[in-house]
Amino acid sequence: MKIVIAPDSFKESLGAAAVAEAIARGWRQVFPQAEIILLPMADGGEGTVDALLAAVGGERRECQVRGPLGTPVRAHWGWLDNATAVLEMAAASGLHWVAPAQRDATRTGTYGTGELIRQALDAGATRIILGLGGSATNDGGAGLLQALGVRLLDRHGAELAPGGVALAGLVRLDISGLDPRLQHVRVEVAADVDNPLCGPRGASRVFGPQKGASPAQVERLDAALAHYAQCVAAILGEDHRDSPGVGAAGGVGFACKAFLHASFRPGIELVAELSGLAQALQGADLLITGEGRLDAQSLHGKTPVGVARIAQAAGVPVIALAGSLGEDYQALYGAGIAAAFSLTPGPLSLEQACSEAAEQLEARSVDLARLWRLAQAAR
Ligand SMILES: O=C(O)[C@H](O)CO
């Protein structure tokens, strides 16, 4: 029997490698002889740099940058030997940097992600792979642009304060100071979702609430991003707000598309390709994937659906384990996932569920393996 285990991280709880190991421990209790291949995945969000370094090798580097609330954080990135830098915006501006009680999507910013890009430029990168997802921010990448030399000015000619809501006061963009080294760098965005910038499927409405935005704040943020997109279109002569993926990471995708001329692809596709997932699936009986939460939104680029697409092409069935199953998660059954299970055995606080994730994963994996054995015996 050959099993491929290819999960994402469980955000704010367990990295993808630890998730894969916990599932493998459970499976081995029932099938000690099984051939088990562990391929930790990522979709552009948290864990993308580590997944890519694990897949292709390279050097893990660290630097201090401005976190989402403006205080210093220690962010990591990767350097591959062909002058390629691998960055993940969550390392600088991710939700995990902001304690739940402090989450405020109206004022968090992405300046630190721009500083990460500067680090890559200083190192001489000619290609930058930038993972988007898992952000604490909703600023349309405004902070990132400021860190790279763009000036965003209000009606008094003063620089805008950090955060998405401040964009409502944008009157003028001065792009003359944009770091000239960017002209010689290929930027490839690996995005976790394909959402547009604004509107019902936009960054603020879909992802704002998980970053602490109230319904009224969501509306203010959506209007501010629409105004920002309008100002950008006025100077560039091109409106990128509806392009797929520009709503990733609170709209960082938009800044990358408009000013860094980035190409876009689903993050999971890139990670799966570099990790050799399709090859690993040859002759496999089952793929087990997982993510902290699965719901209908997962259809728009999240890891379990991305790996399921590749498994489907290889004729391998897929089962997903999730920390929690959200609204309309059954939509995943139409996207190549045969069955999805939530981890918790009963009511648990979020803190408890996060701290017990490894034990619960192992236990559910045992349950799953036992069910699989029963199904095999009944054949
Ligand atoms: O960071 C976010 O906003 C979500 O992960 C979607 O990209």
Side-chain angles (χ1 to χ4, degrees):
M1 171 189 292
K2 179 177 174 187
I3 307 291
V4 177
I5 302 180
D8 204 328
S9 60
F10 277 34
K11 290 191 179 53
E12 300 179 70
S13 168
L14 220 53
V19 171
E21 279 154 21
I23 296 172
R25 275 197 303 278
W27 198 269
R28 277 199 197 99
Q29 288 178 40
V30 183
F31 293 108
Q33 310 298 337
E35 179 190 355
I36 299 183
I37 297 183
L38 306 189
L39 289 178
M41 291 282 130
D43 57 16
E46 210 182 327
T48 298
V49 167
D50 285 336
L52 288 176
L53 287 178
V56 297
E59 191 188 322
R60 197 178 197 272
R61 299 186 177 182
E62 283 192 7
C63 58
Q64 182 168 297
V65 297
R66 227 179 262 185
L69 290 172
T71 48
V73 299
R74 199 119 194 105
H76 65 280
W77 57 288
W79 180 253
L80 313 185
D81 56 11
N82 47 359
T84 298
V86 186
L87 315 180
E88 105 196 8
M89 81 80 69
S93 318
L95 195 58
H96 63 284
W97 287 121
V98 188
Q102 286 183 303
R103 287 183 186 166
D104 181 351
T106 63
R107 64 189 185 98
T108 43
T110 54
Y111 194 92
T113 300
E115 289 179 291
L116 271 185
I117 294 177
R118 270 199 340 236
Q119 287 280 328
L121 295 174
D122 291 348
T126 54
R127 178 184 178 206
I128 293 177
I129 297 173
L130 174 61
L132 297 188
S135 67
T137 56
N138 202 110
D139 75 345
L144 173 153
L145 293 175
Q146 286 170 317
L148 293 173
V150 172
R151 299 189 68 212
L152 303 173
L153 305 169
D154 68 12
R155 66 194 170 96
H156 305 294
E159 196 70 52
L160 292 188
V165 156
L167 288 168
L170 179 63
V171 167
R172 195 164 76 82
L173 281 109
D174 175 1
I175 57 173
S176 60
L178 183 63
D179 196 318
R181 294 174 296 177
L182 287 163
Q183 284 169 14
H184 312 291
V185 177
R186 205 165 84 229
V187 178
E188 296 169 30
V189 159
D192 69 337
V193 294
D194 59 6
N195 297 59
L197 184 67
C198 307
R201 285 193 60 243
S204 316
R205 296 235 175 98
V206 178
F207 303 105
Q210 76 195 29
K211 305 169 191 179
S214 67
Q217 288 174 332
V218 162
E219 294 314 312
R220 286 177 69 201
L221 284 165
D222 189 52
L225 289 187
H227 170 69
Y228 165 59
Q230 193 72 38
C231 297
V232 171
I235 63 158
L236 296 183
E238 223 179 333
D239 194 336
H240 295 287
R241 78 180 80 181
D242 291 326
S243 193
V246 297
V252 168
F254 176 78
C256 293
K257 181 95 192 166
F259 295 99
L260 311 186
H261 309 294
S263 60
F264 278 59
R265 71 185 292 198
I268 180 56
E269 209 178 274
L270 180 80
V271 175
E273 184 180 296
L274 294 177
S275 310
L277 177 63
Q279 292 84 328
L281 282 166
Q282 279 167 23
D285 297 285
L286 176 67
L287 180 140
I288 305 176
T289 185
E291 177 136 37
R293 179 182 163 86
L294 286 175
D295 56 27
Q297 283 311 319
S298 310
L299 289 174
H300 299 289
K302 296 293 187 180
T303 291
V305 172
V307 298
R309 197 168 295 133
I310 297 165
Q312 239 182 344
V316 177
V318 178
I319 293 179
L321 293 174
S324 69
L325 293 171
E327 210 174 325
D328 296 332
Y329 75 88
Q330 293 90 340
L332 302 176
Y333 294 161
I337 293 180
F341 300 94
S342 145
L343 290 190
T344 51
L348 285 183
S349 70
L350 184 60
E351 291 70 35
Q352 205 182 350
C354 286
S355 71
E356 292 177 10
E359 290 87 336
Q360 298 299 345
L361 270 166
E362 187 174 332
R364 288 302 77 72
S365 174
V366 171
D367 297 340
L368 203 58
R370 291 177 65 85
L371 191 64
W372 187 261
R373 188 169 59 186
L374 196 66
Q376 299 299 302
R379 273 173 145 199

Coordinates of all heavy atoms in Angstrom, one line a residue, residues 230-271:
Q230 N -9.0 53.1 -8.4 CA -9.4 54.2 -9.3 C -8.2 55.1 -9.5 O -7.8 55.5 -10.6 CB -10.5 54.9 -8.7 CG -11.3 55.9 -9.6 CD -12.1 55.1 -10.6 OE1 -12.7 54.1 -10.2 NE2 -12.1 55.6 -11.8
C231 N -7.5 55.5 -8.4 CA -6.4 56.4 -8.5 C -5.2 55.7 -9.2 O -4.6 56.4 -10.0 CB -5.8 56.8 -7.1 SG -7.0 57.7 -6.0
V232 N -5.0 54.4 -9.0 CA -3.9 53.7 -9.7 C -4.2 53.6 -11.2 O -3.4 53.9 -12.0 CB -3.7 52.3 -9.1 CG1 -2.8 51.5 -9.9 CG2 -3.2 52.4 -7.6
A233 N -5.5 53.3 -11.5 CA -5.9 53.3 -12.9 C -5.7 54.6 -13.6 O -5.3 54.7 -14.8 CB -7.3 52.8 -13.0
A234 N -5.9 55.7 -12.9 CA -5.8 57.0 -13.5 C -4.4 57.3 -13.8 O -4.1 57.9 -14.9 CB -6.3 58.1 -12.5
I235 N -3.4 56.8 -13.0 CA -2.0 57.1 -13.5 C -1.4 56.1 -14.4 O -0.5 56.3 -15.2 CB -1.0 57.4 -12.3 CG1 -0.9 56.2 -11.4 CG2 -1.4 58.6 -11.5 CD1 0.4 56.3 -10.6
L236 N -1.9 54.8 -14.3 CA -1.3 53.8 -15.1 C -2.1 53.6 -16.4 O -1.6 53.0 -17.4 CB -1.3 52.4 -14.4 CG -0.4 52.3 -13.1 CD1 -0.4 50.9 -12.6 CD2 1.0 52.8 -13.4
G237 N -3.3 54.1 -16.5 CA -4.1 53.9 -17.7 C -4.6 52.5 -17.8 O -5.1 52.1 -18.9
E238 N -4.6 51.7 -16.8 CA -5.0 50.3 -16.8 C -5.6 50.0 -15.5 O -5.0 50.3 -14.4 CB -3.8 49.5 -17.1 CG -4.1 48.4 -18.1 CD -2.8 47.5 -18.3 OE1 -1.7 48.1 -18.1 OE2 -2.9 46.4 -18.6
D239 N -6.8 49.4 -15.5 CA -7.5 49.0 -14.2 C -7.3 47.5 -13.9 O -7.8 46.7 -14.7 CB -8.9 49.4 -14.3 CG -9.6 49.4 -12.9 OD1 -9.0 48.7 -12.0 OD2 -10.6 50.1 -12.7
H240 N -6.6 47.2 -12.8 CA -6.3 45.8 -12.6 C -7.2 45.2 -11.5 O -6.9 44.1 -11.1 CB -4.8 45.6 -12.1 CG -3.8 46.0 -13.1 ND1 -3.6 45.2 -14.2 CD2 -3.0 47.1 -13.3 CE1 -2.6 45.8 -15.0 NE2 -2.3 46.9 -14.4
R241 N -8.2 45.9 -11.0 CA -8.9 45.5 -9.8 C -9.6 44.1 -10.0 O -9.9 43.5 -9.0 CB -9.8 46.5 -9.3 CG -11.1 46.6 -10.0 CD -12.0 47.7 -9.5 NE -11.6 49.0 -10.0 CZ -12.2 50.2 -9.6 NH1 -13.1 50.1 -8.7 NH2 -11.8 51.3 -10.1
D242 N -10.0 43.7 -11.2 CA -10.7 42.5 -11.4 C -9.8 41.3 -11.8 O -10.3 40.2 -12.1 CB -11.8 42.7 -12.4 CG -12.9 43.6 -11.9 OD1 -13.2 43.6 -10.6 OD2 -13.5 44.4 -12.7
S243 N -8.6 41.6 -11.9 CA -7.7 40.5 -12.4 C -7.6 39.4 -11.3 O -7.6 39.7 -10.1 CB -6.3 41.1 -12.6 OG -5.5 40.3 -13.3
P244 N -7.7 38.1 -11.7 CA -7.7 37.0 -10.7 C -6.5 37.0 -9.8 O -5.4 37.1 -10.3 CB -7.7 35.7 -11.6 CG -8.1 36.2 -12.9 CD -7.8 37.6 -13.1
G245 N -6.7 37.0 -8.5 CA -5.6 36.9 -7.6 C -5.2 38.2 -7.0 O -4.4 38.2 -6.0
V246 N -5.6 39.3 -7.6 CA -5.2 40.6 -7.0 C -5.7 40.9 -5.6 O -5.2 41.7 -4.9 CB -5.5 41.8 -8.0 CG1 -4.8 41.7 -9.3 CG2 -7.0 42.0 -8.2
G247 N -6.8 40.1 -5.3 CA -7.3 40.3 -3.9 C -6.6 39.4 -2.9 O -7.0 39.5 -1.7
A248 N -5.6 38.7 -3.3 CA -4.9 37.8 -2.3 C -4.1 38.7 -1.3 O -3.7 39.8 -1.7 CB -3.9 36.9 -3.1
A249 N -4.0 38.2 -0.1 CA -3.3 38.9 1.0 C -3.8 40.3 1.1 O -2.9 41.2 1.2 CB -1.8 38.8 0.7
G250 N -5.1 40.5 1.2 CA -5.6 41.8 1.5 C -5.3 42.8 0.4 O -5.2 44.0 0.6
G251 N -5.1 42.3 -0.8 CA -4.9 43.2 -2.0 C -3.4 43.4 -2.3 O -3.1 44.2 -3.2
V252 N -2.5 42.7 -1.7 CA -1.1 42.8 -2.1 C -0.9 42.4 -3.5 O -0.1 42.9 -4.3 CB -0.2 42.0 -1.1 CG1 1.2 41.8 -1.7 CG2 -0.1 42.6 0.3
G253 N -1.7 41.4 -3.9 CA -1.7 41.0 -5.3 C -1.9 42.2 -6.3 O -1.2 42.2 -7.3
F254 N -2.8 43.1 -5.9 CA -3.0 44.2 -6.8 C -1.8 45.1 -7.0 O -1.4 45.5 -8.1 CB -4.2 45.1 -6.1 CG -4.5 46.3 -6.9 CD1 -5.3 46.3 -8.0 CD2 -4.0 47.6 -6.4 CE1 -5.5 47.4 -8.7 CE2 -4.3 48.7 -7.1 CZ -5.0 48.7 -8.3
A255 N -1.1 45.4 -5.9 CA 0.1 46.2 -5.9 C 1.2 45.5 -6.8 O 1.9 46.2 -7.6 CB 0.7 46.5 -4.5
C256 N 1.3 44.2 -6.6 CA 2.3 43.4 -7.4 C 1.9 43.5 -8.9 O 2.8 43.6 -9.7 CB 2.3 42.0 -6.9 SG 3.0 41.8 -5.3
K257 N 0.7 43.3 -9.2 CA 0.2 43.3 -10.6 C 0.5 44.7 -11.2 O 1.0 44.8 -12.3 CB -1.3 43.0 -10.7 CG -1.9 42.9 -12.0 CD -1.8 41.5 -12.5 CE -2.2 41.3 -13.9 NZ -1.8 40.0 -14.4
A258 N 0.0 45.7 -10.5 CA 0.0 47.1 -11.1 C 1.5 47.6 -11.2 O 1.8 48.3 -12.2 CB -0.8 48.0 -10.3
F259 N 2.3 47.4 -10.2 CA 3.6 48.2 -10.1 C 4.8 47.3 -10.3 O 5.9 47.8 -10.6 CB 3.7 48.9 -8.8 CG 2.6 50.0 -8.7 CD1 1.5 49.9 -8.0 CD2 2.8 51.2 -9.4 CE1 0.5 50.8 -7.9 CE2 1.9 52.2 -9.3 CZ 0.7 52.0 -8.6
L260 N 4.7 46.0 -10.0 CA 5.8 45.1 -10.1 C 5.7 44.2 -11.4 O 6.5 43.4 -11.6 CB 6.0 44.2 -8.9 CG 6.0 44.9 -7.5 CD1 6.3 44.0 -6.4 CD2 6.9 46.1 -7.5
H261 N 4.6 44.4 -12.1 CA 4.4 43.6 -13.3 C 4.5 42.1 -13.1 O 5.0 41.4 -13.9 CB 5.3 44.1 -14.5 CG 5.3 45.6 -14.6 ND1 4.2 46.2 -15.0 CD2 6.2 46.5 -14.3 CE1 4.4 47.5 -15.0 NE2 5.6 47.7 -14.6
A262 N 4.0 41.7 -12.0 CA 4.1 40.3 -11.6 C 3.3 39.4 -12.4 O 2.2 39.8 -12.8 CB 3.7 40.1 -10.1
S263 N 3.8 38.2 -12.7 CA 2.9 37.1 -13.2 C 2.3 36.4 -12.1 O 2.9 36.4 -11.0 CB 3.7 36.2 -14.1 OG 4.7 35.6 -13.3
F264 N 1.2 35.8 -12.3 CA 0.4 35.1 -11.2 C 0.2 33.6 -11.5 O 0.0 33.3 -12.6 CB -1.0 35.7 -11.0 CG -1.0 37.0 -10.2 CD1 -0.3 38.1 -10.6 CD2 -1.7 37.1 -9.1 CE1 -0.3 39.2 -9.9 CE2 -1.8 38.2 -8.3 CZ -1.0 39.3 -8.8
R265 N 0.4 32.8 -10.5 CA -0.1 31.4 -10.6 C -0.5 30.9 -9.2 O -0.1 31.5 -8.2 CB 0.9 30.5 -11.2 CG 2.1 30.2 -10.4 CD 3.1 29.4 -11.2 NE 2.6 28.1 -11.5 CZ 3.4 27.1 -11.9 NH1 4.7 27.3 -12.0 NH2 2.9 25.9 -12.1
P266 N -1.4 29.9 -9.2 CA -1.8 29.4 -7.8 C -0.6 28.9 -7.1 O 0.2 28.1 -7.6 CB -2.8 28.3 -8.2 CG -3.2 28.6 -9.6 CD -2.1 29.2 -10.3
G267 N -0.5 29.3 -5.8 CA 0.7 28.9 -5.0 C 0.8 27.4 -4.9 O 1.9 26.9 -5.0
I268 N -0.3 26.8 -4.8 CA -0.3 25.3 -4.6 C 0.3 24.6 -5.8 O 1.0 23.6 -5.7 CB -1.7 24.7 -4.1 CG1 -1.6 23.2 -3.9 CG2 -2.8 25.1 -5.1 CD1 -0.6 22.8 -2.9
E269 N -0.1 25.2 -7.0 CA 0.4 24.6 -8.2 C 2.0 24.6 -8.3 O 2.6 23.6 -8.6 CB -0.2 25.4 -9.4 CG -0.4 24.7 -10.6 CD -1.0 25.7 -11.6 OE1 -2.2 25.8 -11.6 OE2 -0.3 26.3 -12.4
L270 N 2.5 25.8 -7.9 CA 4.0 26.0 -7.9 C 4.6 25.0 -6.9 O 5.6 24.3 -7.2 CB 4.3 27.4 -7.5 CG 5.8 27.8 -7.5 CD1 6.3 28.0 -8.9 CD2 6.0 29.0 -6.7
V271 N 4.1 25.0 -5.7 CA 4.7 24.1 -4.6 C 4.6 22.7 -5.0 O 5.5 21.9 -4.9 CB 4.1 24.4 -3.2 CG1 4.6 23.5 -2.2 CG2 4.3 25.9 -2.8

